[in-house]
Amino acid sequence: YIRKLTGHKKQKIMDLKNQIQKREIKFRALKDDMSNCNFVYGQLVYDAIGCPRITEIDSSGQGLKFHTCIKGTEGQYTGLQDKAGKGNDVYEGDTFEAIYKDCPDGYSIMGKDTTVIRIKATVVFKWGGFMVEMMHPVEKKLVYSRLADFLENEEKIVNGNIYENKT
């Protein structure tokens, strides 16, 4: 399929393929420890009864350290960063504030009839890729956007996650 494409489309697909191949595979989850319920980062494995564990190389560099984690808080690194690649790593479950601009006349960007609404956008893995899920404020249905397209705006900053910030 890629060989049949030419020019700009072929280059865009090749760039995406290279980005996916170069992405570091890592995970995070909330540590199941009442005194220290923070995220731990590393590789994700499940024990015999299905509880998630994050593994990391121990301080000696010779062995592995296993952290028991809270089931349902696992999230994979997307390979992208907020602030257009200049900020924090973005994981599944991270949230952003998105701005919805309703322009009734279809032309004005910030005209007198424009409604600006701030909505919560959540990173999800759907349809084989990382997407941003948002509730459309007018149509009241879930809408999706590719995460990479969403993050092109340099103002986008992770403002929380669905595990620690339930609102």
Side-chain angles (χ1 to χ4, degrees):
Y1 176 71
I2 292 176
R3 289 188 180 122
K4 293 180 184 177
L5 296 175
T6 59
H8 179 69
K9 285 186 179 182
K10 183 177 181 179
Q11 185 60 45
K12 192 170 186 175
I13 289 173
M14 293 303 289
D15 289 346
L16 181 59
K17 184 178 175 183
N18 288 336
Q19 179 184 1
I20 290 168
Q21 289 175 344
K22 293 178 184 175
R23 179 173 63 92
E24 180 181 5
I25 306 297
K26 61 182 178 178
F27 296 84
R28 74 168 183 201
L30 284 174
K31 190 173 180 181
D32 190 8
D33 181 355
M34 290 303 205
S35 65
N36 183 20
C37 190
N38 293 317
F39 278 111
V40 287
Y41 300 83
Q43 297 305 309
L44 177 65
V45 296
Y46 291 91
D47 64 17
I49 59 172
C51 292
R53 293 176 182 256
I54 295 290
T55 65
E56 64 178 345
I57 297 173
D58 68 9
S59 58
S60 71
Q62 302 298 314
L64 293 176
K65 185 186 294 186
F66 289 84
H67 302 281
T68 302
C69 299
I70 300 170
K71 191 170 188 149
T73 65
E74 311 93 316
Q76 186 173 0
Y77 173 53
T78 64
L80 300 170
Q81 296 179 323
D82 63 5
K83 294 185 186 178
K86 301 172 189 158
N88 302 311
D89 290 347
V90 178
Y91 287 82
E92 279 180 274
D94 280 344
T95 58
F96 293 87
E97 181 179 81
I99 296 177
Y100 170 78
K101 296 176 184 171
D102 182 22
C103 305
D105 61 10
Y107 296 103
S108 63
I109 299 295
M110 290 301 285
K112 63 182 177 182
D113 295 329
T114 302
T115 303
V116 177
I117 302 170
R118 297 181 187 284
I119 56 177
K120 179 179 171 182
T122 304
V123 178
V124 296
F125 188 81
K126 193 169 188 81
W127 302 309
F130 291 103
M131 310 290 283
V132 177
E133 177 182 84
M134 301 167 273
M135 179 62 71
H136 193 283
V138 176
E139 297 177 16
K140 302 297 183 205
K141 67 178 187 176
L142 289 175
V143 294
Y144 298 88
S145 175
R146 284 185 58 239
L147 178 62
D149 295 339
F150 181 79
L151 290 176
E152 284 181 355
N153 179 336
E154 292 203 21
E155 297 173 11
K156 300 285 179 19
I157 300 172
V158 171
N159 67 357
N161 61 73
I162 60 173
Y163 314 113
E164 296 175 313
N165 312 92
K166 300 283 184 184
T167 58

